[in-house]
């Protein structure tokens, strides 16, 4: 049953066990409603130990199971099965039949990343590339730590996704006229971590890593980047 309170939105997670449980717990703490679908009954029993989760036993690649999970009410669908092909099918069904705004697919083979994006998946998460990116991002953060005194809460680092129709899409960074308190420290594009330059264009699907000394200034650029996000 859905909980009737001040939740931020509805999220569907299909497949996985530990990944799904960890992600669901994180989303619940942020006041999202979360439904998990799993075709393994034992996994469903373990997931159901969290009474706040809406757990559906069944094959999430089947339309009638997605209907039972009320995916049409979800802003985001996340496919975490151990099959790349099934994850793609789930994401395509959620968009085509149920109008889900954003889909995320776990991918085992990084060579398929571009194909998944071409097929309309909004975000592709590859375990191998995640490890590489984390190493690169950590190196970047270590370098920024040398340059910026991040103490006493004076510096804030946040991620801002760029969605369809965002005002800054296709613009070069020098054209954005951002407040002086705002720095774009990194751009996450697919499985790449880009060091931005003045002539770097902001693209749909990018995630901007924002560094600011004044958190209030973030409100000035939210409307330029905001869209449905997890």
């Amino acid at each position: 049953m859905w909980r009737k309170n001040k939740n931020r939105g509805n999220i569907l997670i299909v497949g996985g066990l530990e990944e799904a449980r960890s992600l669901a717990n994180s989303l619940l703490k942020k006041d999202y409603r979360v439904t998990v679908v799993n075709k393994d009954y034992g996994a469903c029993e373990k997931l159901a130990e969290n009474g706040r989760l809406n757990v559906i036993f069944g094959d999430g690649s089947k339309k009638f199971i997605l209907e039972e999970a009320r995916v049409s009410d979800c802003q985001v669908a996340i496919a975490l099965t151990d099959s790349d092909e099934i994850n793609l099918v789930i994401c395509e069904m959620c968009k085509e039949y149920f109008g889900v705004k954003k889909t995320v697919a776990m991918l085992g083979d990084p060579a398929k990343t571009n194909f998944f994006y071409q097929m309309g998946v909004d975000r592709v998460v590859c375990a191998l590339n995640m490890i590489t990116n984390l190493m690169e991002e950590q190196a970047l953060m270590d370098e920024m730590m040398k340059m910026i005194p991040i103490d006493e809460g004076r510096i804030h680092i946040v991620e801002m996704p760029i969605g369809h129709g965002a005002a800054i899409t296709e613009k070069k960074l020098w054209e954005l006229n951002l407040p002086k308190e705002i720095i774009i420290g990194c751009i996450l594009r697919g499985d790449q971590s880009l060091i931005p330059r003045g002539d770097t264009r902001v693209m749909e699907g990018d995630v901007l890593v924002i560094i600011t000394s004044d958190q209030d200034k973030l409100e000035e650029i939210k409307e330029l980047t905001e869209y449905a996000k997890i």
Side-chain angles (χ1 to χ4, degrees):
M1 297 294 292
W2 293 116
R3 297 167 61 240
K4 296 181 179 180
N5 58 12
K6 296 185 290 184
N7 289 85
R8 296 173 60 181
N10 303 328
I11 309 292
L12 174 71
I13 302 174
V14 181
L17 174 53
E18 296 305 327
E19 302 93 335
R21 179 158 50 187
S22 176
L23 179 57
N25 288 339
S26 177
L27 290 169
L28 288 169
K29 289 178 182 178
K30 296 177 181 178
D31 290 325
Y32 289 95
R33 298 187 187 99
V34 183
T35 293
V36 291
V37 175
N38 201 300
K39 64 180 181 180
D40 184 299
Y41 189 77
C44 288
E45 287 185 315
K46 292 178 181 178
L47 290 165
E49 292 173 0
N50 186 333
R52 298 178 62 195
L53 280 179
N54 185 39
V55 181
I56 304 291
F57 171 55
D59 184 348
S61 65
K62 305 299 184 183
K63 187 177 178 181
F64 73 95
I65 293 295
L66 294 176
E67 288 175 341
E68 182 181 350
R70 295 174 59 184
V71 68
S72 58
D73 293 335
C74 294
Q75 287 74 44
V76 182
I78 305 170
L80 298 179
T81 79
D82 55 7
S83 167
D84 292 348
E85 290 72 20
I86 290 177
N87 288 343
L88 178 59
V89 168
I90 292 168
C91 289
E92 290 191 315
M93 289 181 65
C94 288
K95 273 189 175 290
E96 181 176 353
Y97 294 115
F98 300 99
V100 176
K101 292 181 179 179
K102 185 176 182 183
T103 55
V104 181
M106 178 66 79
L107 183 60
D109 182 359
K112 300 175 184 175
T113 300
N114 288 337
F115 174 69
F116 269 50
Y117 281 122
Q118 291 169 5
M119 294 300 292
V121 178
D122 295 289
R123 193 70 184 268
V124 179
V125 182
C126 177
L128 177 60
N129 289 339
M130 280 177 63
I131 294 171
T132 302
N133 284 345
L134 284 171
M135 293 174 64
E136 292 174 351
E137 290 164 23
Q138 183 59 52
L140 173 66
M141 294 306 297
D142 288 344
E143 186 62 28
M144 289 193 297
M145 288 283 284
K146 296 175 185 176
M147 299 185 292
I148 305 173
I150 305 180
D151 63 346
E152 300 177 1
R154 290 188 292 161
I155 297 295
H156 304 275
I157 300 176
V158 298
E159 292 186 0
M160 285 195 170
I162 306 301
H164 178 70
I168 64 175
T169 302
E170 300 291 342
K171 289 188 176 182
K172 295 181 179 180
L173 293 185
W174 67 264
E175 298 176 305
L176 301 185
N177 194 29
L178 296 174
K180 64 180 181 179
E181 296 86 358
I182 297 288
I183 297 174
I184 299 177
C186 179
I187 297 178
L188 308 180
R189 180 171 297 165
D191 296 304
Q192 297 180 312
S193 301
L194 307 178
I195 304 301
R197 305 183 185 279
D199 61 352
T200 302
R201 289 189 184 276
V202 178
M203 308 297 290
E204 180 179 324
D206 284 353
V207 177
L208 308 184
V209 179
I210 304 290
I211 306 168
T212 179
S213 59
D214 186 347
Q215 194 169 18
D216 293 337
K217 292 295 181 180
L218 294 174
E219 298 299 324
E220 297 184 22
I221 63 172
K222 269 188 176 181
E223 63 185 35
L224 302 178
T225 63
E226 195 164 21
Y227 80 125
K229 46 186 179 290
I230 61 174

